[in-house]
Amino acid sequence: MLILECPCCGVSGEETEFHAGGEAHLKRHSVGSTDDQFEEYLFMRENPHGVHFERWRHNNGCGKWFHAARCTTTLEVFGTYCAQTYEPPKEIKDAISARRPGWSWRNFS
Amino acid sequence: MFEAVSALQGASFNAGIAEVRELGLRGMITLRGDLTDKKLIKAVKGIAGRIPEPRTVALKDDDGAAWMSPDELLLMVPHADVLSTIETLNASLKGTHFLAANVSDARAVFEVFGPHAREVMAKLAPVDFSPDAFKMGMFRRSRLAQVPAAFWMNEEDAFTVVCFRSVAEYMFDLLSIAAQAGSEVDAL
């Protein structure tokens, strides 16, 4: 069971109060993109054993989307942050580095 | 002209460890907009006395305002005053980006009261209801069993629960069963 803190309303709730929305930080390739880029956007997903970044929605609460950094192996949540960003903020990366030195995920590390 | 009735017309359950009753019609307005906007703050103060802090409810007699999300408030007024309140809001917020929608008849309101009210709520919601964690004035949106709900304490051991009208009967059954006689947990 994950315990997430919604960065929008500040409520700390357990998993069933939220809804998972898939991988975070996807580039939404569309008009003008190549077939390869579009395929990448549609189908190619990370399936890591460890650090992962996901979108979540506080659907039984404020209804807002946010991002969460967590470990898929231990279900440890490193932190949650605003969805209006292209990459995880420094404090989230630092929190992960403290727990999982040398981690990397797509272009982030 | 037809007469408005609440979903369960004041149904009540009082044969258990806490009493449950439907509170009948209550005027409710969803107000969305920039909660830091001066015009909006002034308009809400005119109704609820003050603008609620995040995750709290501001109550004034029968009226009130509850903080639903960073851009949404739930305004509560007597059922008969909803349309006039919306007109007032529309007039006083003219020119700002906002929405004031009458949701009175889309909601059902319940009260759970009695010394075991906290336990009844704690059986149903994934929320910490211990007296140190859930206090007067706090407002929480979560779920009760399988349906979304919002709740706060009107006084110690008296919770008000707001849910969608379409699940009013489910909610009443849920609260009544969680409050059935002999079901004390004494965990809080």
Side-chain angles (χ1 to χ4, degrees), chain A residues 8-14 16-17 60-62 64, chain B residues 32 55 67-71 126 140-143 148:
Chain A
C8 304
C9 67
V11 160
S12 193
E14 49 95 349
T16 61
E17 204 169 296
N60 281 322
C62 67
K64 305 294 182 206
Chain B
R32 294 198 91 136
R55 303 184 300 284
W67 192 91
M68 298 287 275
S69 82
D71 58 2
R140 182 73 144 84
R141 288 175 80 182
S142 183
R143 63 178 177 89

Side-chain angles (χ1 to χ4, degrees), chain B residues 114-180:
Chain B
H116 290 95
R118 280 179 186 274
E119 274 192 9
V120 172
M121 297 297 290
K123 287 180 193 178
L124 300 169
V127 174
D128 187 352
F129 280 102
S130 60
D132 293 340
F134 201 89
K135 296 179 177 151
M136 285 284 291
M138 279 178 65
F139 178 87
R140 182 73 144 84
R141 288 175 80 182
S142 183
R143 63 178 177 89
L144 289 183
Q146 304 193 27
V147 294
F151 39 82
W152 68 91
M153 284 197 294
N154 253 337
E155 49 192 280
E156 200 55 50
D157 297 329
F159 286 86
T160 306
V161 178
V162 177
C163 68
F164 288 116
R165 183 186 177 117
S166 55
V167 294
E169 190 156 5
Y170 174 81
M171 182 62 78
F172 181 74
D173 291 348
L174 204 60
L175 292 169
S176 311
I177 292 169
Q180 67 182 262

Side-chain angles (χ1 to χ4, degrees), chain B residues 24-107:
Chain B
L25 293 171
R26 179 174 287 195
M28 292 194 169
I29 299 162
T30 287
L31 179 65
R32 294 198 91 136
D34 178 0
L35 301 187
T36 58
D37 182 80
K38 278 184 187 149
K39 274 189 187 172
L40 191 143
I41 291 174
K42 197 174 165 213
V44 172
K45 278 183 177 166
I47 295 165
R50 64 191 169 88
I51 193 141
E53 296 290 309
R55 303 184 300 284
T56 66
V57 59
L59 298 166
K60 191 183 81 173
D61 305 324
D62 286 342
D63 300 341
W67 192 91
M68 298 287 275
S69 82
D71 58 2
E72 180 180 344
L73 294 177
L74 180 69
L75 304 178
M76 290 170 278
V77 295
H79 193 265
D81 300 344
V82 170
L83 295 178
S84 61
T85 307
I86 289 182
E87 273 174 33
T88 314
L89 284 170
N90 284 340
S92 55
L93 294 177
K94 202 163 195 271
T96 50
H97 183 63
F98 79 104
L99 167 84
N102 179 4
V103 295
S104 314
D105 300 328
R107 299 283 181 275

Side-chain angles (χ1 to χ4, degrees), chain A residues 21-40:
Chain A
E23 191 174 319
H25 304 297
L26 290 177
K27 167 103 173 95
R28 186 182 278 253
H29 289 288
S30 80
V31 180
S33 64
T34 66
D35 284 355
D36 284 349
Q37 286 173 324
F38 193 62
E39 185 208 16
E40 167 92 18

